[in-house]
Amino acid sequence: MQMPAPNTAIIARKAQLVSRFLDVLPKDAVIHEPAETKAYECDGLAAYHCPPLCAVLPSSTEEVAAVLKICHDEGVPVVPRGSGTSLAGGAMPTADAVILGVARLNDVLDTNYDDRTITVQSGRTNLSVTGAVEEDGFFYAPDPSSQLACAIAGNIAMNSGGAHCLKYGVTTNNLLGVTMVMMDGTVVQIGGGYMDAPGLDLLGLVCGSEGQLGVVTEATLRILPKPEGARPILMGFDSSEVAGACVSDIIKAGVLPVAIEFMDRLCIEVCENFAKAGYPICEALLIVEVEGSDLEIDEQLEKIKAIAKTHNPVELREAQTAEEAGLIWLGRKSAFGAMGQINDYMCLDGTIPVNQLPFVLRRIGELSKEYGLDVGNVFHAGDGNMHPLILFDVNVPGQLETCEALGAEILKLCVEVGGCLTGEHGVGIEKRDLMGEQFTPADLEAQMRVKDVFDPKWLLNPAKVFPLADSEERRAA
Amino acid sequence: MSAPTTEEELSKAVAAADGALRIVGGGTRPIGRTGAGTRLSAAGLTGITLYEPGAMTLVCRAGTPVSEIEAALAEENQQLAFEPMDHRALLGTKGVPTIGGVVAANVSGPRRIQVGACRDHLLGVRFVDGSGQIVSNGGRVMKNVTGYDLVKLMAGSRGTLGILTEVSLKVMPKAPSRATLRLTGLDDAQGLAAMTLAMRSPFDVNGAARVGGDVFVRIEGFDQSVAYRAERLSAELTDNGSVEVVRDEAAQSEIWTGIRDVTALKNHNYVWRVAMTPSRLRLGLLDGVLHGLAFDSVIDWAGAQIWIGLTKGQLSLVDRGAAGFHAMLQNTLADPTVTGRAGGHATLIKAPEAFRADVASFQPEPAPLAAIAAGLRAKFDPRGILNPGLMT
Ligand SMILES: Cc1cc2nc3c(=O)[nH]c(=O)nc-3n(C[C@H](O)[C@H](O)[C@H](O)COP(=O)(O)OP(=O)(O)OC[C@H]3O[C@@H](n4cnc5c(N)ncnc54)[C@H](O)[C@@H]3O)c2cc1C
């Protein structure tokens, strides 16, 4: 993975910069000893790492503004960071960059059940947003599997999704407003607690901009009353094609489950070994969850089971108790962890039109053989967001490169069939150089113009999202 | 007037333009400053190019009539779930509403409170920018975070950043059954309280509005589920006036089309749309600056949106008339002591063209945001020819 050569003049000014940060931040909020900056050298895409110049951990919007102003004056690149769980390298620094971590900004500022909103500081973890309101019967809907660790800041930057977004949407559909600090230190309020933009939809633009337009310090989120109940059903099929057809039929029939998750044989086996969830060992497994009162759940599941039966499932298991429901989800939720136990893996994130599922799975199988690396598939089937997991061993010379090449082939395949490179993890550094597969130069130019407006000096997370060659002139200016 | 029929023709027409362009689809939603420029219509770019019911996606050219899309979807028992408003009744316009117009104005109806706005159902766009350059963003899949989300930026940009040529939309199943609770005998404050209560329930309310003194609450889904939720919700709302459950399909259709299209205000000469939080709507607006004034309203989105209509007669009682009322409303919405940190905004939706030419129909934004918006317009439309001044 190529990163631009660090600016040595900035590195030479490190001591001076650190002392300027110490003028505006408490001592323990400026991390500059090499032993300590190492903690910020990578995010969830751990194969790539580089310690930053230093890391700063402000505790207020004002401190964030003060830090950014200094960096703006000094022409120093800044990489915003939430919890560092990005799988795309979005929070990976370069040697001349300052990591600006928002982990200390984690308060709840306001909850309003009548308006169904919560305002939090952006470093707060996803799960603890729900944690703050669940006793009162509410929840925050987007639920990335990393929700215990990942921060709302990272969710907004990546426009993260989760298992339940088929019904509730992804981050952008649940975000009402942000407080954001621009690179020059200006604090702006975009959106608020209301439901649509007064003028241009700048909030929609900021969400998913991968930390390149501003540093988000506060967010107002939509919260929802908890449904009366939820129940999953597990179905096994003897081919992925049939499972794919079943998904399509469920959607066409007008049932809208909150989640439809898919796992292939490799994933089923690995997860079963790891979690002992009692999964049937078969070619394809679907977990479908519906919500409501018992009566409503029964009504929906009857329809779903009737559809499933027309596809001759090898297993059809409806959770009868909360414990059984937990077991059905347990395997799926531990999928990434289970895969990590057996090998290093790279998790891809392309989205495809759901009717292309059988073809794409077959092609992935062929490519996997061609490249000699196993690929497991676990994903959100209702919306076509795939997560092929390529298994490799980082200690075997050449395997990381083979894995990257195979990953690129699979993502190109997603684009070819009418899909996209990333459905929820973001571009970061990982998919940066594939952007040309999906976009024309004019398409990319239009996006880069947006960054020109928000961050004219291209100091915020500059070497991400756009192919290095395309952004080079702007970064150099 | 030019009316290209392909994206290439449109792109050439824009590149060759030597002055301001006034971009229209069906021309049914003249909002903001619509005076200047040569008319350029996108209504010639028509046709559904892809519809996959099993993938819940539809792609079509921007000039496609909304009615054509709705008919195609109805055949598969699907719909545009965000329930786009038809502005013709309210604004007294004629013409055929196009999907491009819906998207360009981010038009959403009552179901917005449950399923999101038009922008939340927009998966991809193609557009021609102010230099004639064709740009594509997003795509036709449900989840897509590849690059910046210009899709959201284009939704609601009203032709000021680019002219939409193609849109792809998430479409959703039509519910087989629905029920509407009608609550009568409530004042505004009680009506808002009842809607708030309904929205706090787990019963998945997907419409909550107040019009003509009544409150309407809608539930949709499968038969048994609707019956169950209607019963539970009626019981919970019994302390809120008298509750009647409307099950007749035609009657419900009339109620919700009326709310969606704000027909209750169609005879009013001036209409504003205000977005703010329900709690502040009551405290800051209805009990605040509007208290004691003569006006009519339709409250939708469970109190997050209010349409305020004034007739000439009602305006004659207002200090400085329509201009005075407009300024008062926008100043109030910009006042944090009224709207709280949640904020809000007021947009002038209906007024004579001469009046619209003179005022900022859209809520003026704080300086740093206005600068960003101006910066984006300068990048996407360097010559400033796309609907100049419409939104500012
Ligand atoms: C095991 C595992 C499971 C996962 N499952 C999912 C899943 O189901 N769905 C999903 O969508 N993702 C998933 N992810 C990916 C990841 O958790 C998300 O992208 C998450 O939103 C990142 O949040 P973070 O706080 O860790 O952000 P970071 O990794 O710290 O940063 C992510 C990006 O946000 C930017 N950023 C951070 N803070 C700010 C700020 N204050 N202002 C502006 N920009 C900022 C960074 O510069 C970077 O580009 C998973 C990751 C792991 C490791």
Side-chain angles (χ1 to χ4, degrees):
Chain A
M1 185 64 57
Q2 198 198 342
M3 288 302 278
N7 182 331
T8 49
I10 293 175
I11 296 175
R13 291 206 315 276
K14 175 172 172 174
Q16 213 175 310
L17 269 166
V18 166
S19 100
R20 284 198 71 179
F21 291 144
L22 286 169
D23 288 343
V24 298
L25 294 176
K27 200 160 179 295
D28 70 348
V30 182
I31 290 152
H32 56 92
E33 299 294 347
E36 293 176 335
T37 55
K38 210 169 156 19
Y40 299 91
E41 68 176 7
C42 70
D43 54 24
L45 187 68
Y48 310 103
H49 41 85
C50 168
L53 188 67
C54 63
V56 294
L57 303 173
S59 301
S60 67
T61 300
E62 293 69 35
E63 286 185 359
V64 171
V67 165
L68 286 176
K69 208 165 171 340
I70 293 170
C71 294
H72 187 253
D73 287 352
E74 302 266 358
V76 176
V78 173
V79 176
R81 182 180 170 103
S83 304
T85 67
S86 167
L87 292 171
M92 193 192 87
T94 45
D96 57 357
V98 172
I99 286 270
L100 194 170
V102 293
R104 290 187 183 176
L105 288 158
N106 51 24
D107 285 342
V108 173
L109 302 174
D110 182 50
T111 42
N112 188 326
Y113 295 130
D114 283 348
D115 296 336
R116 300 170 312 283
T117 60
I118 184 170
T119 303
V120 298
Q121 289 184 312
S122 67
R124 195 170 180 87
T125 62
N126 175 293
L127 194 61
S128 70
V129 172
T130 289
V133 296
E134 88 190 315
E135 272 189 14
D136 297 305
F138 283 83
F139 73 111
Y140 174 60
D143 59 340
S145 322
S146 52
Q147 67 184 150
L148 192 61
C150 66
I152 291 299
N155 293 177
I156 293 171
M158 292 315 200
N159 189 14
S160 302
H164 292 79
C165 55
L166 190 58
K167 174 161 182 201
Y168 296 113
V170 295
T171 303
T172 192
N173 313 115
N174 292 276
L175 177 68
L176 295 167
V178 295
T179 301
M180 185 172 92
V181 188
M182 310 280 292
M183 186 63 214
D184 66 4
T186 312
V187 178
V188 294
Q189 188 87 44
I190 304 179
Y194 49 87
M195 298 188 101
D196 60 4
L200 297 179
D201 189 351
L202 302 180
L203 187 65
L205 193 55
V206 163
C207 191
S209 62
E210 305 206 9
Q212 292 197 307
L213 302 185
V215 175
V216 173
T217 58
E218 296 173 11
T220 300
L221 309 165
R222 178 173 83 130
I223 50 173
L224 297 169
K226 264 198 269 185
E228 288 181 85
R231 201 186 305 155
I233 180 168
L234 179 149
M235 321 171 185
F237 296 95
D238 54 18
S239 86
S240 308
E241 274 91 343
V242 176
C246 184
V247 171
S248 191
D249 284 353
I250 291 172
I251 290 173
K252 263 196 283 195
V255 194
L256 198 59
V258 281
I260 306 182
E261 297 288 299
F262 175 106
M263 293 169 86
D264 71 0
R265 173 181 275 275
L266 177 62
C267 277
I268 299 167
E269 285 174 355
V270 172
C271 289
E272 184 52 25
N273 262 330
F274 181 83
K276 308 272 181 288
Y279 284 178
I281 303 299
C282 54
E283 290 309 311
L285 188 149
L286 294 177
I287 299 172
V288 182
E289 181 159 280
V290 298
E291 285 179 350
S293 65
D294 277 338
L295 175 143
E296 293 175 277
I297 289 174
D298 288 342
E299 188 179 25
Q300 295 174 74
L301 285 184
E302 278 319 310
K303 292 193 196 320
I304 291 172
K305 281 190 286 191
I307 293 167
K309 280 182 186 145
T310 65
H311 295 282
N312 300 318
V314 297
E315 169 113 14
L316 195 60
R317 186 194 307 164
E318 184 180 334
Q320 303 296 344
T321 61
E323 203 173 32
E324 285 178 25
L327 266 183
I328 288 181
W329 275 111
L330 178 69
R332 165 63 183 95
K333 289 204 166 158
S334 56
F336 288 9
M339 287 300 221
Q341 292 272 304
I342 59 168
N343 225 327
D344 298 309
Y345 68 82
M346 176 178 275
C347 174
L348 304 178
D349 171 46
T351 307
I352 58 166
V354 284
N355 57 343
Q356 297 287 338
L357 216 55
F359 169 74
V360 170
L361 287 172
R362 196 164 59 240
R363 270 300 289 153
I364 289 178
E366 288 164 14
L367 288 166
S368 155
K369 285 209 185 72
E370 225 171 274
Y371 283 78
L373 292 177
D374 281 336
V375 181
N377 286 289
V378 46
F379 56 88
H380 316 301
D383 46 37
N385 187 192
M386 310 198 58
H387 287 316
L389 301 173
I390 309 177
L391 299 175
F392 71 104
D393 184 344
V394 79
N395 297 316
V396 176
Q399 277 213 350
L400 175 60
E401 289 72 22
T402 310
C403 170
E404 280 181 348
L406 171 55
E409 279 312 310
I410 294 175
L411 291 182
K412 284 182 202 168
L413 172 65
C414 292
V415 175
E416 264 163 39
V417 300
C420 66
L421 297 171
T422 170
E424 58 178 16
H425 293 167
V427 177
I429 54 170
E430 193 205 12
K431 282 144 271 185
R432 186 189 62 194
D433 298 299
L434 288 170
M435 289 288 273
E437 298 290 331
Q438 192 178 326
F439 295 109
T440 66
D443 298 343
L444 289 174
E445 176 64 25
Q447 296 177 36
M448 288 192 289
R449 281 182 194 149
V450 169
K451 183 160 172 66
D452 293 341
V453 172
F454 282 80
D455 174 24
K457 293 163 107 180
W458 277 64
L459 291 172
L460 268 172
N461 222 0
K464 314 281 169 71
V465 183
F466 303 105
L468 283 185
D470 292 295
S471 65
E472 186 171 8
E473 253 173 55
R474 288 171 149 102
R475 283 182 288 110
Chain B
M1 158 96 175
S2 103
T5 56
T6 65
E7 188 177 65
E8 294 70 41
E9 282 174 23
L10 186 89
S11 148
K12 285 196 184 120
V14 173
D18 52 8
L21 295 173
R22 183 150 80 85
I23 297 119
V24 293
T28 65
R29 309 174 207 268
I31 294 167
R33 288 193 189 91
T34 51
T38 312
R39 237 173 116 98
L40 173 61
S41 171
L45 280 75
T46 57
I48 295 170
T49 51
L50 178 144
Y51 175 30
E52 279 168 8
M56 301 200 293
T57 39
L58 180 138
V59 184
C60 63
R61 299 201 183 88
T64 310
V66 177
S67 56
E68 185 180 327
I69 293 165
E70 284 177 339
L73 293 174
E75 272 182 34
E76 296 288 342
N77 231 345
Q78 293 190 330
Q79 63 179 347
L80 295 173
F82 56 94
E83 227 178 342
M85 170 181 180
D86 181 339
H87 279 74
R88 285 177 296 185
L90 179 67
L91 300 182
T93 46
K94 301 211 160 42
V96 179
T98 63
I99 193 67
V102 167
V103 170
N106 187 31
V107 178
S108 320
R111 215 182 277 104
R112 192 261 171 268
I113 51 172
Q114 184 204 40
V115 300
C118 171
R119 55 92 98 170
D120 297 297
H121 292 77
L122 188 65
L123 304 174
V125 290
R126 290 178 65 83
F127 63 93
V128 172
D129 76 7
S131 317
Q133 182 68 58
I134 297 167
V135 178
S136 143
N137 192 265
R140 66 175 173 104
V141 286
M142 217 72 81
K143 268 169 84 187
N144 185 348
V145 297
T146 323
Y148 293 168
D149 196 346
L150 304 187
V151 173
K152 301 279 184 305
L153 182 64
M154 292 308 291
S157 66
R158 297 175 185 261
T160 64
L161 296 177
I163 305 170
L164 296 166
T165 57
E166 187 184 273
V167 296
S168 53
L169 292 155
K170 172 179 170 179
V171 297
M172 289 173 79
K174 242 186 211 167
S177 180
R178 62 173 160 174
T180 300
L181 275 56
R182 175 192 224 123
L183 282 56
T184 46
L186 304 174
D187 65 19
D188 275 339
Q190 292 166 327
L192 279 168
M195 291 192 277
T196 299
L197 202 61
M199 294 307 292
R200 285 186 63 161
S201 79
F203 303 124
D204 234 349
V205 168
N206 78 6
R210 171 173 173 78
V211 55
D214 293 344
V215 165
F216 299 95
V217 175
R218 183 176 62 186
I219 292 164
E220 296 183 321
F222 290 119
D223 300 340
Q224 292 177 43
S225 162
V226 168
Y228 164 80
R229 285 182 284 151
E231 193 191 314
R232 289 284 308 268
L233 203 54
S234 299
E236 284 200 14
L237 294 175
T238 43
D239 293 343
N240 297 265
S242 71
V243 186
E244 170 206 356
V245 180
V246 183
R247 290 305 300 258
D248 178 66
E249 198 36 50
Q252 292 192 76
S253 188
E254 195 181 317
I255 292 168
W256 291 103
T257 308
I259 293 166
R260 186 194 74 182
D261 296 346
V262 201
T263 49
L265 303 180
K266 70 174 188 230
N267 294 323
H268 291 65
N269 309 85
Y270 291 79
V271 176
W272 286 263
R273 188 176 84 83
V274 172
M276 64 196 298
T277 55
S279 55
R280 293 290 177 155
L281 170 63
R282 184 169 63 78
L283 292 172
L285 215 59
L286 298 175
D287 292 353
V289 291
L290 294 181
H291 190 73
L293 288 183
F295 65 94
D296 295 290
S297 69
V298 173
I299 300 177
D300 197 359
W301 297 355
Q305 166 170 272
I306 180 171
W307 302 82
I308 299 170
L310 277 84
T311 59
K312 287 211 177 97
Q314 290 169 328
L315 274 169
S316 70
L317 306 172
V318 175
D319 186 27
R320 293 196 298 120
F325 190 84
H326 181 68
M328 182 275 289
L329 208 51
Q330 290 195 333
N331 289 340
T332 304
L333 268 297
D335 179 355
T337 65
V338 177
T339 59
R341 63 169 297 144
H345 55 87
T347 311
L348 174 66
I349 299 294
K350 181 182 183 182
E353 186 169 346
F355 184 83
R356 284 187 282 117
D358 269 357
V359 300
S361 289
F362 293 80
Q363 178 87 31
E365 294 185 272
L369 295 187
I372 294 172
L376 290 169
R377 291 208 171 87
K379 290 282 181 190
F380 283 81
D381 176 25
R383 294 180 292 164
I385 61 170
L386 301 180
N387 282 344
L390 187 140
M391 288 181 80
T392 48

